[in-house]
Amino acid sequence: GQNIDQPTEMTATEGAIVQINCTYQTSGFNGLFWYQQHAGEAPTFLSYNVLDGLEEKGRFSSFLSRSKGYSYLLLKELQMKDSASYLCAAMDSNYQLIWGAGTKLIIKP
Amino acid sequence: GAVVSQHPSWVICKSGTSVKIECRSLDFQATTMFWYRQFPKQSLMLMATSNEGSKATYEQGVEKDKFLINHASLTLSTLTVTSAHPEDSSFYICSARDLEQGFAYEQYFGPGTRLTVT
């Protein structure tokens, strides 16, 4: 079956760095997405990886290892506004997104 | 660019009535739109995939006669919750793929509609 695993909740300190991990198992693979979702709002796109390696975009970076079925989202210089849920989603061979349950990130001052 | 709107943003209805939610791509054409449901503290659950001009494809366990989806144009899809019950209360989110964006099949999300059935 298809499955996405990510931690339920993480806590970090303002100004610090946090890494949110995601492992996936899908029927075929067409890329890995990370979305940010604030409470009561729709998800917003953060990153897309389809090749192995690290993609950096400002304070956020995303890494993919296709052979390991593994990705992580790295957030640097954490700000209070980064408190949100972070959703990992893998695209299968039918270009369907398989969603993880999301990681709630709590930022403390 | 790539803005998706939903209307209404929230709605309260009585049990047994029907509610229609609209999803529009404002500045791009979307051949495919997706309807999701999200319960509190849970992830997005895909309900159906809506293709312009054809019948929607429903996920297993989603009643197609209860959740009517119409994708009449390249910029509009509607979800009608018929004979709503309190257990249908949820956050409904639509997303759309840009016809011209080929690289990543990114989905652009609407702001969501919070439905409360009393």
Side-chain angles (χ1 to χ4, degrees):
Chain A
Q2 306 199 101
N3 191 52
I4 307 286
D5 283 317
Q6 54 181 128
T8 304
E9 188 174 295
M10 299 182 71
T11 302
T13 305
E14 190 176 16
I17 299 173
V18 71
Q19 177 175 309
I20 303 174
N21 296 323
C22 170
T23 57
Y24 64 88
Q25 289 179 305
T26 55
S27 301
F29 180 74
N30 278 300
L32 194 292
F33 291 80
W34 283 96
Y35 281 83
Q36 180 190 60
Q37 186 178 26
H38 285 100
E41 299 180 10
T44 55
F45 172 79
L46 289 179
S47 68
Y48 169 73
N49 294 65
V50 68
L51 300 176
D52 286 352
L54 185 69
E55 295 273 347
E56 298 187 69
K57 195 184 293 185
R59 294 189 299 114
F60 293 7
S61 302
S62 57
F63 171 85
L64 176 68
S65 168
R66 294 177 65 132
S67 62
K68 295 182 179 179
Y70 168 69
S71 173
Y72 68 72
L73 180 69
L74 190 71
L75 293 76
K76 303 177 184 176
E77 301 169 19
L78 286 170
Q79 301 174 9
M80 298 303 293
K81 67 178 182 179
D82 297 329
S83 292
S85 286
Y86 291 86
L87 307 177
C88 171
M91 183 170 280
D92 67 12
S93 58
N94 294 320
Y95 299 102
Q96 201 83 287
L97 281 179
I98 312 301
W99 293 88
T103 298
K104 182 179 180 180
L105 178 63
I106 300 168
I107 309 296
K108 295 185 175 180
Chain B
V3 178
V4 176
S5 71
Q6 271 184 251
H7 178 81
S9 53
W10 60 270
V11 58
I12 301 173
C13 71
K14 292 187 176 181
S15 187
T17 62
S18 295
V19 174
K20 180 185 284 188
I21 302 171
E22 290 186 348
C23 177
R24 293 181 185 272
S25 56
L26 298 184
D27 51 3
F28 66 97
Q29 293 184 322
T31 52
T32 304
M33 289 185 172
F34 303 88
W35 286 97
Y36 292 90
R37 181 167 53 183
Q38 187 176 35
F39 293 106
K41 298 185 180 181
Q42 294 186 24
S43 188
L44 296 172
M45 296 295 294
L46 179 65
M47 299 175 67
T49 301
S50 167
N51 295 294
E52 187 264 338
S54 64
K55 290 184 178 180
T57 303
Y58 290 82
E59 295 299 300
Q60 195 172 8
V62 177
E63 299 174 59
K64 62 180 180 181
D65 294 330
K66 180 172 180 63
F67 298 99
L68 302 179
I69 292 173
N70 183 278
H71 193 160
S73 74
L74 284 172
T75 60
L76 174 65
S77 177
T78 60
L79 167 68
T80 302
V81 183
T82 62
S83 187
H85 289 105
E87 57 264 32
D88 298 324
S89 298
S90 186
F91 192 45
Y92 291 86
I93 309 173
C94 73
S95 69
R97 279 192 190 145
D98 188 340
L99 185 65
E100 296 180 358
Q101 274 275 24
F103 84 103
Y105 299 91
E106 178 187 339
Q107 294 184 25
Y108 300 98
F109 285 86
T113 297
R114 188 160 301 282
L115 169 64
T116 302
V117 184
T118 61

